[in-house]
Amino acid sequence: LGAEELHVGFGGPEGDRVQVLRGASLSVDAGELVALEAPSGEGKTVLATLLLLLRRPDSGVVRWSGLDVTRRSPRALQSLRAQHQGLLQHTGANLPPYMTLRALLVETVERVGGALGDAMTIAEVLGLGPLLDRSSRHLSGGEQRRAGLARVLAARPAFVLLDEPDAGLDPTSVLAAIDAVRSAVDGGMGCLLVTHNRSAARRVADRRLALRQGVLHAV
């Protein structure tokens, strides 16, 4: 994944808009985990939605697997979305409420042609083994977050963007989540980890970036 000179602002006419991002550029290679750190209000989630094309930038370029996808329609992006996934904090895990976690993972693996054993291993690493036959509506918020992460990783995407994947998790679950992500990256997945957790970023990231006043800086 890559982005070049992303600009976005909110509010009135162009000259009066509050600029949230000012020329943000980054790249994440296959097999690389890049951590993006910033306090609340600096625009991390805005950047995440731009990179996933859930929002369009005012200007700049977003690239998926080397392709400029900035202005492509949602229909044109369908085939690429399966390999460029995100788990955003503000949207939750978005799990079907009446489907068991086991059925959800089976469906995910069948869709991507993966190995069910690998998906079950991910679930075990995330501490979800005893919950496989429970429907998502009977999972706690933290369990749903871990289940959402398991589904994303089981899909074996080329790239995943994780927005505060440890939100609402206890310390043991945080370590399990971070280790599961690191294992997927070591297997070739690219990952942008958006986080407040500097200790977790230092633990797993190959590179760290900070977002200050709409500009990205290396840490």
Side-chain angles (χ1 to χ4, degrees):
L1 177 133
E4 301 165 15
E5 293 291 324
L6 295 182
H7 292 261
V8 68
F10 299 113
E14 186 170 343
D16 298 325
R17 290 162 67 84
V18 175
Q19 293 299 309
V20 179
L21 294 176
R22 306 168 185 269
S25 298
L26 61 84
S27 63
V28 182
D29 293 330
E32 182 181 38
L33 195 158
V34 178
L36 172 60
E37 307 167 22
S40 297
E42 284 287 349
K44 298 189 309 296
T45 298
V46 172
L47 177 58
T49 58
L50 292 175
L51 295 173
L52 294 173
L53 291 182
L54 302 176
R55 183 196 309 267
R56 305 285 175 164
D58 294 338
S59 62
V61 173
V62 176
R63 298 186 189 279
W64 292 358
S65 300
L67 300 173
D68 181 351
V69 293
T70 317
R71 303 299 170 189
R72 293 197 184 190
S73 69
R75 183 182 182 88
L77 290 172
Q78 278 185 339
S79 62
L80 286 171
R81 279 207 181 279
Q83 287 301 307
H84 298 81
Q85 298 197 14
L87 182 63
L88 301 183
Q89 181 183 0
H90 69 281
T91 59
N94 288 331
L95 303 175
Y98 297 100
M99 184 177 285
T100 67
L101 177 55
R102 186 188 304 275
L104 184 63
L105 292 177
V106 168
E107 179 188 73
T108 299
V109 167
E110 288 178 346
R111 187 176 71 246
V112 301
L116 183 58
D118 292 343
M120 294 303 167
T121 297
I122 291 169
E124 291 290 344
V125 169
L126 291 171
L128 296 169
L131 306 176
L132 286 169
D133 295 311
R134 190 176 296 182
S135 63
S136 60
R137 68 192 180 105
H138 291 134
L139 299 177
S140 70
E143 289 166 350
Q144 287 190 18
R145 290 291 292 170
R146 284 184 282 150
L149 179 59
R151 179 171 69 165
V152 167
L153 297 181
R156 303 191 304 174
F159 169 82
V160 64
L161 189 152
L162 301 175
D163 181 16
E164 304 287 355
D166 52 358
L169 302 186
D170 61 78
T172 299
S173 296
V174 168
L175 290 177
I178 293 300
D179 287 345
V181 172
R182 182 69 247 187
S183 178
V185 169
D186 290 341
M189 182 184 77
C191 176
L192 180 64
L193 173 67
V194 180
T195 183
H196 288 100
N197 192 333
R198 291 185 178 180
S199 63
R202 287 193 294 266
R203 173 185 171 90
V204 297
D206 300 302
R207 290 189 291 122
R208 295 161 57 207
L209 301 173
L211 184 61
R212 303 189 192 98
Q213 297 183 327
V215 180
L216 286 170
H217 305 270
V219 175

